Amino acid sequence: EAEVAQSPRYKITEKSQAVAFWCDPISGHATLYWYRQILGQGPELLVQFQDESVVDDSQLPKDRFSAERLKGVDSTLKIQPAELGDSAMYLCASSLPDSTGELFFGEGSRLTVL
Amino acid sequence: AQSVTQLDSQVPVFEEAPVELRCNYSSSVSVYLFWYVQYPNQGLQLLLKYLSGSTLVKGINGFEAEFNKSQTSFHLRKPSVHISDTAEYFCAVSDPYQGGKLIFGQGTELSVKP
């Protein structure tokens, strides 16, 4: 069964350091999402891609966060510099272009900032 | 803009008992509604979805949900729970005209006790 792949699963870093997360969506899924899930809360959308184009990044803190999907396939989410409040699970999801909201999620990357 | 409120943050229940997880939503337009489940340290998995048609929707693992437009609710039910149902459950909404982006509630932790 096709899955969304994410790495690393766990990342511990010190504040002010740079960190990057990688996501490989299900083959053929043109839409890719990055969500942030703070412990005890629901996921919040950071950025949505349609192929290589950003559709929605209104909730992405652009002073420190960046996301790219250069060839419209895999994607990287970067944080620089990391802050204590960035500790969270970063979830990647993908869907077909005509999705009715059925997203397929990866297992997530858990970030701890010390 | 849409929003989702899950009325219970934690629901403890004994094995084989029935359970209902409550979800209310707010939207000025028609929406699609979803329930996702998240097991510890994993991504989210779709339980069921309401797009249109019958207001009673059946999903995986014996769960079902009923869409009530007048009450703006989409409560999740299961007549008899198992230990393996212990997980975090998220209600979510999407705007059919906004490209599949999901807005999640805060989550309900279901704890099934023997």
Side-chain angles (χ1 to χ4, degrees), chain A residues 9-10 31 33 35 37 40-43 45 48 56 89 91 99-103 105-108 110, chain B residues 32 34 36 38 41-46 49 51 88 90 94 98-107:
Chain A
R9 286 293 313 277
Y10 303 93
T31 310
Y33 310 79
Y35 280 84
Q37 185 181 18
Q41 299 183 21
L45 181 69
Q48 177 183 352
D56 184 349
M89 176 79 88
L91 294 163
S99 168
T100 51
E102 182 170 2
L103 273 56
F105 284 84
E107 292 190 316
R110 181 168 295 284
Chain B
Y32 295 147
F34 306 83
Y36 280 80
Q38 185 178 34
N41 292 315
Q42 293 188 24
L44 280 72
Q45 177 185 3
L46 180 68
K49 60 184 177 183
L51 305 181
E88 190 88 17
F90 293 94
S94 75
Q98 293 250 331
K101 179 177 71 175
L102 287 177
I103 296 171
F104 288 90
Q106 304 92 319

Side-chain angles (χ1 to χ4, degrees), chain A residues 21 32-37 43-49 54-62 65-67 77-79 86 88-91, chain B residues 101-102:
Chain A
F21 304 109
L32 184 147
Y33 310 79
W34 283 102
Y35 280 84
R36 177 170 62 183
Q37 185 181 18
E44 295 180 301
L45 181 69
L46 291 175
V47 61
Q48 177 183 352
F49 289 93
V54 173
V55 173
D56 184 349
D57 64 355
S58 57
Q59 299 304 310
L60 187 71
K62 298 180 187 62
F65 286 65
S66 64
L77 177 70
K78 297 179 181 177
I79 308 174
D86 296 332
M89 176 79 88
Y90 290 84
L91 294 163
Chain B
K101 179 177 71 175
L102 287 177

Side-chain angles (χ1 to χ4, degrees), chain A residues 8-24:
Chain A
R9 286 293 313 277
Y10 303 93
K11 178 71 177 179
I12 300 174
T13 191
E14 295 185 345
K15 63 180 181 179
S16 80
Q17 296 299 304
V19 62
F21 304 109
W22 176 81
C23 172
D24 190 14

